[in-house]
Amino acid sequence: MRHKSLKNNSLSAARPLASHPQRAASLLLRANQRLARRYGTPRLGNKRDVVSELVFIILSARTQGGNHEAIYRRLRRHFGTWENVRDASVSDVQRVIREAGLSRVKARQITSLLRKITRDFGSLSAGAFRRMDTEHLERYLITLPGVGLKTARCVMLYALDRAVFPVDTHCMRLFQNLGLIRARMRFEYAQEPLQAAVPEDIRYSLHVNAVAHGRETCVAVSPRCSSCAINLLCVNRRAAAS
Protein backbone atom coordinates (compact mmCIF):
# COMPACT_ATOMS: atom_id res chain seq x y z
CA MET A 1 0.00 0.00 0.00
CA ARG A 2 2.85 2.36 0.81
CA HIS A 3 4.41 1.58 -2.57
CA LYS A 4 1.19 2.65 -4.31
CA SER A 5 1.13 5.87 -2.28
CA LEU A 6 4.71 6.69 -3.25
CA LYS A 7 3.86 6.11 -6.91
CA ASN A 8 0.83 8.38 -6.71
CA ASN A 9 2.91 11.10 -5.05
CA SER A 10 5.57 10.84 -7.75
CA LEU A 11 3.02 11.03 -10.55
CA SER A 12 1.38 14.00 -8.85
CA ALA A 13 4.73 15.79 -8.89
CA ALA A 14 4.77 15.44 -12.70
CA ARG A 15 1.33 16.99 -13.31
CA PRO A 16 2.69 20.33 -14.59
CA LEU A 17 4.28 18.40 -17.48
CA ALA A 18 1.00 16.79 -18.50
CA SER A 19 -0.94 20.04 -18.06
CA HIS A 20 1.33 22.18 -20.25
CA PRO A 21 3.24 19.93 -22.69
CA GLN A 22 3.90 22.66 -25.27
CA ARG A 23 5.19 25.05 -22.63
CA ALA A 24 7.41 22.31 -21.23
CA ALA A 25 8.86 21.48 -24.66
CA SER A 26 9.50 25.15 -25.43
CA LEU A 27 11.20 25.72 -22.09
CA LEU A 28 13.39 22.65 -22.50
CA LEU A 29 14.45 23.78 -25.98
CA ARG A 30 15.47 27.19 -24.61
CA ALA A 31 17.31 25.65 -21.68
CA ASN A 32 19.13 23.20 -23.94
CA GLN A 33 20.30 25.98 -26.27
CA ARG A 34 21.82 27.87 -23.34
CA LEU A 35 23.36 24.78 -21.79
CA ALA A 36 24.81 23.66 -25.15
CA ARG A 37 26.50 27.04 -25.58
CA ARG A 38 28.07 26.67 -22.14
CA TYR A 39 29.02 22.97 -22.13
CA GLY A 40 29.22 22.07 -25.82
CA THR A 41 27.19 18.83 -25.60
CA PRO A 42 30.08 16.73 -24.19
CA ARG A 43 30.54 12.97 -24.60
CA LEU A 44 31.12 12.42 -20.84
CA GLY A 45 33.40 9.44 -21.38
CA ASN A 46 30.61 7.10 -22.44
CA LYS A 47 31.33 4.30 -24.91
CA ARG A 48 30.08 3.61 -28.42
CA ASP A 49 30.19 -0.18 -27.96
CA VAL A 50 27.12 -1.64 -26.24
CA VAL A 51 28.95 -4.11 -24.00
CA SER A 52 31.63 -1.58 -23.11
CA GLU A 53 28.97 0.94 -22.14
CA LEU A 54 27.10 -1.58 -19.99
CA VAL A 55 30.28 -2.36 -18.05
CA PHE A 56 31.27 1.31 -17.86
CA ILE A 57 27.93 2.34 -16.33
CA ILE A 58 27.91 -0.51 -13.82
CA LEU A 59 31.41 0.50 -12.69
CA SER A 60 30.39 4.16 -12.38
CA ALA A 61 27.61 3.50 -9.86
CA ARG A 62 28.64 4.47 -6.31
CA THR A 63 32.27 4.97 -7.34
CA GLN A 64 33.82 8.16 -6.01
CA GLY A 65 34.66 11.00 -8.40
CA GLY A 66 36.05 9.96 -11.77
CA ASN A 67 37.71 6.79 -10.42
CA HIS A 68 35.39 4.57 -12.46
CA GLU A 69 37.15 5.63 -15.67
CA ALA A 70 40.53 4.49 -14.34
CA ILE A 71 39.00 1.26 -13.03
CA TYR A 72 37.35 0.63 -16.41
CA ARG A 73 40.69 1.11 -18.21
CA ARG A 74 42.41 -1.22 -15.73
CA LEU A 75 39.78 -3.90 -16.37
CA ARG A 76 40.28 -3.62 -20.13
CA ARG A 77 44.07 -3.75 -19.85
CA HIS A 78 44.10 -6.69 -17.47
CA PHE A 79 41.72 -8.98 -19.37
CA GLY A 80 42.17 -7.70 -22.92
CA THR A 81 38.70 -8.72 -24.16
CA TRP A 82 35.19 -8.89 -22.74
CA GLU A 83 35.23 -12.60 -23.52
CA ASN A 84 38.12 -13.00 -21.07
CA VAL A 85 36.18 -11.05 -18.44
CA ARG A 86 33.15 -13.26 -19.10
CA ASP A 87 35.18 -16.42 -18.58
CA ALA A 88 36.99 -15.18 -15.46
CA SER A 89 35.89 -15.93 -11.93
CA VAL A 90 34.00 -13.32 -9.94
CA SER A 91 36.89 -13.12 -7.49
CA ASP A 92 39.42 -12.43 -10.28
CA VAL A 93 37.28 -9.61 -11.66
CA GLN A 94 36.69 -8.25 -8.18
CA ARG A 95 40.43 -8.04 -7.52
CA VAL A 96 40.89 -5.86 -10.61
CA ILE A 97 37.99 -3.51 -9.79
CA ARG A 98 38.49 -3.58 -6.01
CA GLU A 99 38.50 0.24 -5.76
CA ALA A 100 34.99 0.45 -7.19
CA GLY A 101 32.21 0.69 -4.65
CA LEU A 102 30.43 -2.63 -4.09
CA SER A 103 33.17 -4.36 -6.10
CA ARG A 104 32.00 -7.92 -5.46
CA VAL A 105 28.43 -7.08 -6.47
CA LYS A 106 29.67 -5.33 -9.61
CA ALA A 107 32.02 -8.18 -10.50
CA ARG A 108 29.12 -10.62 -10.26
CA GLN A 109 26.84 -8.37 -12.31
CA ILE A 110 29.45 -7.85 -15.03
CA THR A 111 30.36 -11.53 -15.46
CA SER A 112 26.69 -12.56 -15.29
CA LEU A 113 25.50 -10.09 -17.92
CA LEU A 114 28.36 -11.03 -20.27
CA ARG A 115 27.42 -14.69 -19.93
CA LYS A 116 23.73 -13.99 -20.44
CA ILE A 117 24.36 -11.97 -23.61
CA THR A 118 26.54 -14.81 -24.95
CA ARG A 119 23.85 -17.40 -24.15
CA ASP A 120 21.14 -15.31 -25.78
CA PHE A 121 22.98 -14.22 -28.94
CA GLY A 122 25.97 -16.55 -29.30
CA SER A 123 28.58 -13.80 -28.89
CA LEU A 124 29.23 -10.36 -27.40
CA SER A 125 28.83 -8.63 -30.75
CA ALA A 126 26.61 -5.56 -30.88
CA GLY A 127 24.83 -6.73 -34.03
CA ALA A 128 21.84 -8.28 -32.26
CA PHE A 129 21.28 -5.10 -30.24
CA ARG A 130 21.39 -2.90 -33.33
CA ARG A 131 18.79 -5.01 -35.09
CA MET A 132 16.22 -4.73 -32.27
CA ASP A 133 13.59 -2.03 -32.35
CA THR A 134 13.72 0.40 -29.44
CA GLU A 135 10.86 -1.13 -27.47
CA HIS A 136 12.22 -4.68 -27.60
CA LEU A 137 15.77 -3.50 -26.99
CA GLU A 138 14.76 -1.67 -23.82
CA ARG A 139 12.76 -4.65 -22.63
CA TYR A 140 15.74 -6.94 -23.16
CA LEU A 141 18.35 -4.71 -21.56
CA ILE A 142 16.46 -4.45 -18.28
CA THR A 143 16.61 -8.25 -17.97
CA LEU A 144 20.40 -8.08 -17.67
CA PRO A 145 21.98 -8.26 -14.20
CA GLY A 146 22.59 -4.80 -12.74
CA VAL A 147 20.63 -3.01 -15.47
CA GLY A 148 17.59 -0.90 -14.62
CA LEU A 149 15.61 1.39 -16.89
CA LYS A 150 17.94 4.37 -16.46
CA THR A 151 21.01 2.28 -17.32
CA ALA A 152 19.22 0.67 -20.27
CA ARG A 153 18.35 4.07 -21.68
CA CYS A 154 21.89 5.35 -21.17
CA VAL A 155 23.19 2.42 -23.21
CA MET A 156 20.55 2.99 -25.87
CA LEU A 157 21.34 6.71 -26.04
CA TYR A 158 25.14 6.61 -26.00
CA ALA A 159 25.92 3.37 -27.82
CA LEU A 160 22.95 2.92 -30.15
CA ASP A 161 21.76 6.47 -30.92
CA ARG A 162 18.18 5.79 -29.86
CA ALA A 163 15.97 8.80 -29.10
CA VAL A 164 15.52 8.09 -25.40
CA PHE A 165 16.06 10.29 -22.35
CA PRO A 166 17.59 8.65 -19.26
CA VAL A 167 16.62 10.53 -16.09
CA ASP A 168 19.35 10.81 -13.47
CA THR A 169 19.76 13.13 -10.50
CA HIS A 170 21.09 15.97 -12.67
CA CYS A 171 18.17 15.77 -15.09
CA MET A 172 15.73 15.63 -12.19
CA ARG A 173 17.23 18.77 -10.66
CA LEU A 174 17.03 20.55 -14.02
CA PHE A 175 13.32 19.78 -14.36
CA GLN A 176 12.71 20.96 -10.81
CA ASN A 177 14.60 24.20 -11.34
CA LEU A 178 12.68 24.89 -14.53
CA GLY A 179 9.43 24.44 -12.62
CA LEU A 180 8.40 21.45 -14.72
CA ILE A 181 7.99 19.08 -11.78
CA ARG A 182 6.80 20.07 -8.33
CA ALA A 183 9.12 17.94 -6.22
CA ARG A 184 11.73 15.23 -6.40
CA MET A 185 10.25 12.03 -7.83
CA ARG A 186 11.33 8.42 -7.42
CA PHE A 187 13.57 7.61 -10.37
CA GLU A 188 11.51 4.63 -11.51
CA TYR A 189 8.44 6.85 -11.82
CA ALA A 190 10.28 9.81 -13.34
CA GLN A 191 11.59 8.02 -16.44
CA GLU A 192 8.41 7.95 -18.53
CA PRO A 193 6.86 11.41 -17.89
CA LEU A 194 10.17 13.25 -18.15
CA GLN A 195 11.22 11.42 -21.32
CA ALA A 196 7.83 12.16 -22.89
CA ALA A 197 8.29 15.88 -22.18
CA VAL A 198 11.61 16.13 -24.05
CA PRO A 199 11.44 16.60 -27.84
CA GLU A 200 13.13 13.65 -29.52
CA ASP A 201 15.68 15.73 -31.41
CA ILE A 202 17.21 17.15 -28.21
CA ARG A 203 17.09 14.08 -25.95
CA TYR A 204 20.80 13.34 -26.33
CA SER A 205 22.00 16.92 -26.07
CA LEU A 206 19.73 17.84 -23.17
CA HIS A 207 20.75 14.76 -21.20
CA VAL A 208 24.51 15.27 -21.53
CA ASN A 209 24.28 19.04 -21.04
CA ALA A 210 22.14 18.53 -17.93
CA VAL A 211 24.73 16.13 -16.54
CA ALA A 212 27.57 18.56 -17.28
CA HIS A 213 25.56 21.37 -15.72
CA GLY A 214 24.83 19.31 -12.61
CA ARG A 215 28.47 18.37 -12.16
CA GLU A 216 29.97 21.79 -12.79
CA THR A 217 27.42 24.44 -11.77
CA CYS A 218 24.11 23.18 -10.39
CA VAL A 219 25.70 21.00 -7.73
CA ALA A 220 23.58 19.59 -4.92
CA VAL A 221 25.33 21.61 -2.18
CA SER A 222 26.03 25.33 -2.71
CA PRO A 223 25.08 25.60 -6.40
CA ARG A 224 26.95 28.28 -8.36
CA CYS A 225 23.86 30.27 -9.29
CA SER A 226 25.78 33.46 -10.17
CA SER A 227 27.49 31.68 -13.07
CA CYS A 228 24.50 29.58 -14.16
CA ALA A 229 23.76 29.51 -17.90
CA ILE A 230 20.02 29.17 -17.28
CA ASN A 231 19.57 31.30 -14.17
CA LEU A 232 16.94 33.46 -15.89
CA LEU A 233 14.83 30.34 -16.47
CA CYS A 234 15.33 28.86 -13.01
CA VAL A 235 12.41 29.23 -10.61
CA ASN A 236 14.62 28.52 -7.61
CA ARG A 237 17.12 31.19 -8.64
CA ARG A 238 14.31 33.75 -9.04
CA ALA A 239 12.94 32.83 -5.61
CA ALA A 240 16.37 33.24 -4.01
CA ALA A 241 16.85 36.65 -5.62
CA SER A 242 13.45 38.05 -4.60
Side-chain angles (χ1 to χ4, degrees):
M1 196 68 181
R2 183 173 179 271
H3 180 77
K4 182 177 180 181
S5 175
L6 286 170
K7 180 176 182 180
N8 289 339
N9 289 340
S10 291
L11 295 176
S12 176
R15 280 179 188 160
L17 289 173
S19 302
H20 306 285
Q22 291 182 325
R23 173 185 172 276
S26 175
L27 186 57
L28 290 167
L29 285 164
R30 290 162 61 199
N32 187 57
Q33 288 173 347
R34 297 181 186 206
L35 292 172
R37 283 197 295 268
R38 170 69 64 85
Y39 303 106
T41 311
R43 183 70 194 170
L44 302 176
N46 293 85
K47 314 305 175 187
R48 289 295 296 169
D49 173 68
V50 176
V51 173
S52 299
E53 179 67 354
L54 281 164
V55 175
F56 182 75
I57 294 177
I58 287 174
L59 287 174
S60 71
R62 300 189 185 184
T63 300
Q64 294 297 317
N67 287 351
H68 62 280
E69 296 185 15
I71 295 167
Y72 172 85
R73 291 193 296 271
R74 186 189 308 144
L75 184 68
R76 293 300 309 259
R77 284 197 305 270
H78 183 87
F79 288 102
T81 67
W82 294 128
E83 285 78 9
N84 288 338
V85 176
R86 175 196 64 198
D87 298 336
S89 68
V90 170
S91 58
D92 284 345
V93 175
Q94 183 187 4
R95 276 194 290 273
V96 177
I97 65 169
R98 62 188 179 280
E99 295 173 14
L102 302 174
S103 60
R104 183 162 184 80
V105 172
K106 291 178 180 180
R108 188 182 301 111
Q109 289 173 341
I110 289 167
T111 54
S112 295
L113 76 83
L114 295 176
R115 291 165 187 169
K116 178 172 169 50
I117 292 170
T118 303
R119 286 196 306 271
D120 292 342
F121 302 116
S123 74
L124 295 174
S125 169
F129 295 104
R130 297 190 182 280
R131 288 191 292 272
M132 288 187 200
D133 63 54
T134 296
E135 181 181 348
H136 286 90
L137 175 60
E138 183 176 286
R139 196 178 304 156
Y140 176 77
L141 288 172
I142 62 177
T143 69
L144 296 174
V147 179
L149 184 54
K150 184 187 78 171
T151 296
R153 287 183 175 173
C154 283
V155 171
M156 294 164 69
L157 183 74
Y158 288 115
L160 294 165
D161 301 317
R162 302 300 173 92
V164 293
F165 185 76
V167 178
D168 67 0
T169 187
H170 304 299
C171 297
M172 190 92 74
R173 192 179 305 128
L174 175 68
F175 273 70
Q176 281 183 280
N177 289 340
L178 293 174
L180 294 176
I181 55 177
R182 293 193 180 107
R184 189 172 183 82
M185 304 164 63
R186 289 172 65 96
F187 280 115
E188 61 265 40
Y189 302 136
Q191 299 298 329
E192 297 303 338
L194 271 60
Q195 173 173 276
V198 182
E200 287 193 6
D201 59 343
I202 66 164
R203 285 180 177 173
Y204 174 83
S205 57
L206 183 64
H207 175 80
V208 298
N209 288 319
V211 173
H213 183 59
R215 290 176 178 176
E216 182 176 319
T217 304
C218 194
V219 293
V221 179
S222 300
R224 303 175 180 92
C225 297
S226 61
S227 61
C228 177
I230 57 169
N231 55 8
L232 296 179
L233 303 177
C234 178
V235 297
N236 292 322
R237 169 62 175 168
R238 291 203 301 272
S242 61

Short mmCIF file of all heavy atoms in Angstrom, two decimals, residues 56-89:
data_model
loop_
_atom_site.label_atom_id
_atom_site.label_comp_id
_atom_site.label_asym_id
_atom_site.label_seq_id
_atom_site.Cartn_x
_atom_site.Cartn_y
_atom_site.Cartn_z
N PHE A 56 30.87 -0.03 -18.30
CA PHE A 56 31.27 1.31 -17.86
C PHE A 56 30.25 1.90 -16.88
O PHE A 56 30.62 2.45 -15.84
CB PHE A 56 31.42 2.22 -19.09
CG PHE A 56 31.86 3.62 -18.78
CD1 PHE A 56 33.18 3.89 -18.44
CD2 PHE A 56 30.98 4.68 -18.85
CE1 PHE A 56 33.60 5.18 -18.17
CE2 PHE A 56 31.38 5.98 -18.58
CZ PHE A 56 32.70 6.24 -18.24
N ILE A 57 28.97 1.77 -17.20
CA ILE A 57 27.93 2.34 -16.33
C ILE A 57 27.84 1.58 -15.02
O ILE A 57 27.68 2.19 -13.95
CB ILE A 57 26.57 2.38 -17.05
CG1 ILE A 57 26.63 3.35 -18.24
CG2 ILE A 57 25.46 2.80 -16.09
CD1 ILE A 57 25.38 3.40 -19.06
N ILE A 58 27.94 0.26 -15.06
CA ILE A 58 27.91 -0.51 -13.82
C ILE A 58 29.07 -0.10 -12.92
O ILE A 58 28.90 0.08 -11.70
CB ILE A 58 27.95 -2.02 -14.12
CG1 ILE A 58 26.59 -2.47 -14.70
CG2 ILE A 58 28.29 -2.83 -12.86
CD1 ILE A 58 26.57 -3.90 -15.17
N LEU A 59 30.25 0.09 -13.49
CA LEU A 59 31.41 0.50 -12.69
C LEU A 59 31.23 1.90 -12.11
O LEU A 59 31.75 2.20 -11.03
CB LEU A 59 32.68 0.44 -13.53
CG LEU A 59 33.21 -0.94 -13.87
CD1 LEU A 59 34.38 -0.84 -14.83
CD2 LEU A 59 33.63 -1.69 -12.61
N SER A 60 30.52 2.77 -12.82
CA SER A 60 30.39 4.16 -12.38
C SER A 60 29.47 4.32 -11.17
O SER A 60 29.59 5.30 -10.43
CB SER A 60 29.88 5.04 -13.53
OG SER A 60 28.52 4.75 -13.82
N ALA A 61 28.57 3.37 -10.96
CA ALA A 61 27.61 3.50 -9.86
C ALA A 61 28.31 3.42 -8.51
O ALA A 61 29.08 2.49 -8.25
CB ALA A 61 26.56 2.40 -9.97
N ARG A 62 28.09 4.43 -7.67
CA ARG A 62 28.64 4.47 -6.31
C ARG A 62 30.16 4.38 -6.28
O ARG A 62 30.75 3.81 -5.35
CB ARG A 62 28.03 3.37 -5.44
CG ARG A 62 26.52 3.50 -5.31
CD ARG A 62 25.98 2.54 -4.27
NE ARG A 62 24.52 2.57 -4.24
CZ ARG A 62 23.79 1.89 -3.37
NH1 ARG A 62 24.36 1.13 -2.47
NH2 ARG A 62 22.47 1.97 -3.40
N THR A 63 30.81 4.88 -7.32
CA THR A 63 32.27 4.97 -7.34
C THR A 63 32.63 6.44 -7.24
O THR A 63 32.10 7.26 -7.99
CB THR A 63 32.85 4.36 -8.63
OG1 THR A 63 32.47 2.99 -8.71
CG2 THR A 63 34.37 4.46 -8.64
N GLN A 64 33.51 6.77 -6.32
CA GLN A 64 33.82 8.16 -6.01
C GLN A 64 34.48 8.87 -7.19
O GLN A 64 35.36 8.34 -7.86
CB GLN A 64 34.75 8.24 -4.80
CG GLN A 64 34.12 7.77 -3.50
CD GLN A 64 32.94 8.64 -3.09
OE1 GLN A 64 32.98 9.86 -3.18
NE2 GLN A 64 31.86 7.99 -2.65
N GLY A 65 34.04 10.14 -7.41
CA GLY A 65 34.66 11.00 -8.40
C GLY A 65 34.72 10.37 -9.77
O GLY A 65 33.78 9.74 -10.24
N GLY A 66 35.86 10.53 -10.44
CA GLY A 66 36.05 9.96 -11.77
C GLY A 66 36.83 8.66 -11.74
O GLY A 66 37.35 8.21 -12.76
N ASN A 67 36.92 8.01 -10.55
CA ASN A 67 37.71 6.79 -10.42
C ASN A 67 37.21 5.66 -11.32
O ASN A 67 37.98 4.77 -11.68
CB ASN A 67 37.71 6.30 -8.97
CG ASN A 67 38.57 7.17 -8.07
OD1 ASN A 67 39.30 8.03 -8.56
ND2 ASN A 67 38.47 6.96 -6.78
N HIS A 68 35.92 5.67 -11.65
CA HIS A 68 35.39 4.57 -12.46
C HIS A 68 36.05 4.50 -13.82
O HIS A 68 36.19 3.42 -14.39
CB HIS A 68 33.87 4.69 -12.61
CG HIS A 68 33.42 5.93 -13.31
ND1 HIS A 68 33.33 7.15 -12.70
CD2 HIS A 68 33.04 6.13 -14.61
CE1 HIS A 68 32.90 8.04 -13.57
NE2 HIS A 68 32.72 7.45 -14.72
N GLU A 69 36.49 5.64 -14.37
CA GLU A 69 37.15 5.63 -15.67
C GLU A 69 38.50 4.90 -15.58
O GLU A 69 38.84 4.10 -16.46
CB GLU A 69 37.32 7.05 -16.19
CG GLU A 69 35.99 7.74 -16.45
CD GLU A 69 36.15 9.11 -17.08
OE1 GLU A 69 37.26 9.41 -17.58
OE2 GLU A 69 35.17 9.86 -17.10
N ALA A 70 39.25 5.18 -14.53
CA ALA A 70 40.53 4.49 -14.34
C ALA A 70 40.32 3.00 -14.07
O ALA A 70 41.07 2.16 -14.58
CB ALA A 70 41.30 5.13 -13.17
N ILE A 71 39.29 2.67 -13.32
CA ILE A 71 39.00 1.26 -13.03
C ILE A 71 38.57 0.53 -14.30
O ILE A 71 38.97 -0.61 -14.55
CB ILE A 71 37.91 1.16 -11.94
CG1 ILE A 71 38.42 1.74 -10.62
CG2 ILE A 71 37.44 -0.28 -11.76
CD1 ILE A 71 37.34 1.96 -9.59
N TYR A 72 37.77 1.21 -15.13
CA TYR A 72 37.35 0.63 -16.41
C TYR A 72 38.58 0.34 -17.29
O TYR A 72 38.70 -0.75 -17.85
CB TYR A 72 36.41 1.59 -17.13
CG TYR A 72 36.07 1.20 -18.55
CD1 TYR A 72 35.04 0.32 -18.82
CD2 TYR A 72 36.81 1.72 -19.62
CE1 TYR A 72 34.74 -0.04 -20.13
CE2 TYR A 72 36.51 1.35 -20.92
CZ TYR A 72 35.48 0.47 -21.17
OH TYR A 72 35.19 0.11 -22.47
N ARG A 73 39.49 1.30 -17.39
CA ARG A 73 40.69 1.11 -18.21
C ARG A 73 41.55 -0.03 -17.67
O ARG A 73 42.11 -0.82 -18.44
CB ARG A 73 41.50 2.41 -18.27
CG ARG A 73 40.84 3.51 -19.08
CD ARG A 73 41.81 4.64 -19.38
NE ARG A 73 42.27 5.31 -18.17
CZ ARG A 73 41.65 6.34 -17.61
NH1 ARG A 73 40.54 6.83 -18.17
NH2 ARG A 73 42.15 6.91 -16.52
N ARG A 74 41.64 -0.14 -16.35
CA ARG A 74 42.41 -1.22 -15.73
C ARG A 74 41.80 -2.58 -16.07
O ARG A 74 42.51 -3.55 -16.36
CB ARG A 74 42.47 -1.03 -14.22
CG ARG A 74 43.39 -2.03 -13.50
CD ARG A 74 43.24 -1.92 -11.99
NE ARG A 74 43.40 -0.54 -11.56
CZ ARG A 74 42.73 0.02 -10.57
NH1 ARG A 74 41.81 -0.67 -9.91
NH2 ARG A 74 42.94 1.27 -10.22
N LEU A 75 40.48 -2.66 -16.03
CA LEU A 75 39.78 -3.90 -16.37
C LEU A 75 40.07 -4.30 -17.81
O LEU A 75 40.36 -5.47 -18.10
CB LEU A 75 38.28 -3.73 -16.13
CG LEU A 75 37.39 -4.95 -16.34
CD1 LEU A 75 37.66 -6.00 -15.27
CD2 LEU A 75 35.90 -4.53 -16.30
N ARG A 76 40.01 -3.32 -18.72
CA ARG A 76 40.28 -3.62 -20.13
C ARG A 76 41.72 -4.08 -20.34
O ARG A 76 41.97 -5.03 -21.09
CB ARG A 76 40.02 -2.37 -21.00
CG ARG A 76 38.58 -1.90 -21.10
CD ARG A 76 37.64 -2.93 -21.70
NE ARG A 76 38.06 -3.52 -22.94
CZ ARG A 76 37.59 -3.17 -24.14
NH1 ARG A 76 36.69 -2.19 -24.25
NH2 ARG A 76 37.98 -3.78 -25.22
N ARG A 77 42.65 -3.38 -19.69
CA ARG A 77 44.07 -3.75 -19.85
C ARG A 77 44.35 -5.14 -19.28
O ARG A 77 45.08 -5.94 -19.89
CB ARG A 77 44.98 -2.73 -19.16
CG ARG A 77 45.15 -1.42 -19.88
CD ARG A 77 46.35 -0.65 -19.34
NE ARG A 77 46.26 -0.45 -17.89
CZ ARG A 77 45.69 0.59 -17.31
NH1 ARG A 77 45.12 1.53 -18.06
NH2 ARG A 77 45.67 0.70 -15.99
N HIS A 78 43.79 -5.44 -18.15
CA HIS A 78 44.10 -6.69 -17.47
C HIS A 78 43.57 -7.90 -18.24
O HIS A 78 44.29 -8.90 -18.39
CB HIS A 78 43.50 -6.68 -16.06
CG HIS A 78 43.84 -7.90 -15.25
ND1 HIS A 78 44.99 -7.99 -14.50
CD2 HIS A 78 43.19 -9.10 -15.10
CE1 HIS A 78 45.03 -9.18 -13.91
NE2 HIS A 78 43.95 -9.88 -14.26
N PHE A 79 42.34 -7.82 -18.73
CA PHE A 79 41.72 -8.98 -19.37
C PHE A 79 41.82 -8.95 -20.89
O PHE A 79 41.70 -10.00 -21.53
CB PHE A 79 40.26 -9.10 -18.94
CG PHE A 79 40.10 -9.56 -17.52
CD1 PHE A 79 39.78 -8.67 -16.51
CD2 PHE A 79 40.27 -10.90 -17.18
CE1 PHE A 79 39.63 -9.09 -15.20
CE2 PHE A 79 40.12 -11.35 -15.87
CZ PHE A 79 39.80 -10.44 -14.88
N GLY A 80 41.99 -7.78 -21.47
CA GLY A 80 42.17 -7.70 -22.92
C GLY A 80 40.88 -7.70 -23.72
O GLY A 80 40.69 -6.87 -24.60
N THR A 81 39.97 -8.64 -23.44
CA THR A 81 38.70 -8.72 -24.16
C THR A 81 37.57 -8.95 -23.17
O THR A 81 37.79 -9.44 -22.05
CB THR A 81 38.69 -9.89 -25.17
OG1 THR A 81 38.72 -11.12 -24.46
CG2 THR A 81 39.88 -9.80 -26.13
N TRP A 82 36.35 -8.63 -23.60
CA TRP A 82 35.19 -8.89 -22.74
C TRP A 82 34.94 -10.39 -22.62
O TRP A 82 34.40 -10.86 -21.61
CB TRP A 82 33.96 -8.18 -23.28
CG TRP A 82 34.04 -6.69 -23.22
CD1 TRP A 82 33.82 -5.80 -24.24
CD2 TRP A 82 34.37 -5.90 -22.07
NE1 TRP A 82 34.01 -4.51 -23.80
CE2 TRP A 82 34.34 -4.54 -22.48
CE3 TRP A 82 34.72 -6.19 -20.75
CZ2 TRP A 82 34.62 -3.50 -21.60
CZ3 TRP A 82 35.00 -5.15 -19.88
CH2 TRP A 82 34.96 -3.82 -20.30
N GLU A 83 35.37 -11.15 -23.62
CA GLU A 83 35.23 -12.60 -23.52
C GLU A 83 36.08 -13.14 -22.37
O GLU A 83 35.66 -14.06 -21.65
CB GLU A 83 35.66 -13.25 -24.84
CG GLU A 83 34.66 -13.11 -25.98
CD GLU A 83 34.69 -11.73 -26.65
OE1 GLU A 83 35.62 -10.94 -26.34
OE2 GLU A 83 33.81 -11.45 -27.47
N ASN A 84 37.27 -12.57 -22.18
CA ASN A 84 38.12 -13.00 -21.07
C ASN A 84 37.51 -12.61 -19.72
O ASN A 84 37.63 -13.36 -18.74
CB ASN A 84 39.51 -12.40 -21.20
CG ASN A 84 40.31 -13.03 -22.33
OD1 ASN A 84 40.02 -14.14 -22.76
ND2 ASN A 84 41.31 -12.32 -22.82
N VAL A 85 36.88 -11.45 -19.67
CA VAL A 85 36.18 -11.05 -18.44
C VAL A 85 35.03 -12.02 -18.17
O VAL A 85 34.83 -12.48 -17.04
CB VAL A 85 35.65 -9.61 -18.55
CG1 VAL A 85 34.85 -9.23 -17.30
CG2 VAL A 85 36.79 -8.62 -18.77
N ARG A 86 34.28 -12.33 -19.21
CA ARG A 86 33.15 -13.26 -19.10
C ARG A 86 33.58 -14.60 -18.53
O ARG A 86 32.89 -15.19 -17.68
CB ARG A 86 32.54 -13.46 -20.49
CG ARG A 86 31.42 -14.49 -20.56
CD ARG A 86 31.18 -14.88 -22.02
NE ARG A 86 32.34 -15.55 -22.60
CZ ARG A 86 32.55 -15.68 -23.92
NH1 ARG A 86 31.69 -15.18 -24.78
NH2 ARG A 86 33.63 -16.30 -24.35
N ASP A 87 34.73 -15.08 -18.96
CA ASP A 87 35.18 -16.42 -18.58
C ASP A 87 35.96 -16.44 -17.27
O ASP A 87 36.32 -17.51 -16.77
CB ASP A 87 36.03 -17.02 -19.70
CG ASP A 87 35.25 -17.18 -21.00
OD1 ASP A 87 34.00 -17.27 -20.92
OD2 ASP A 87 35.87 -17.20 -22.08
N ALA A 88 36.24 -15.25 -16.72
CA ALA A 88 36.99 -15.18 -15.46
C ALA A 88 36.07 -15.46 -14.27
O ALA A 88 34.85 -15.40 -14.38
CB ALA A 88 37.62 -13.79 -15.32
N SER A 89 36.67 -15.75 -13.15
CA SER A 89 35.89 -15.93 -11.93
C SER A 89 35.50 -14.57 -11.37
O SER A 89 36.14 -13.55 -11.66
CB SER A 89 36.71 -16.69 -10.88
OG SER A 89 37.80 -15.89 -10.43
#
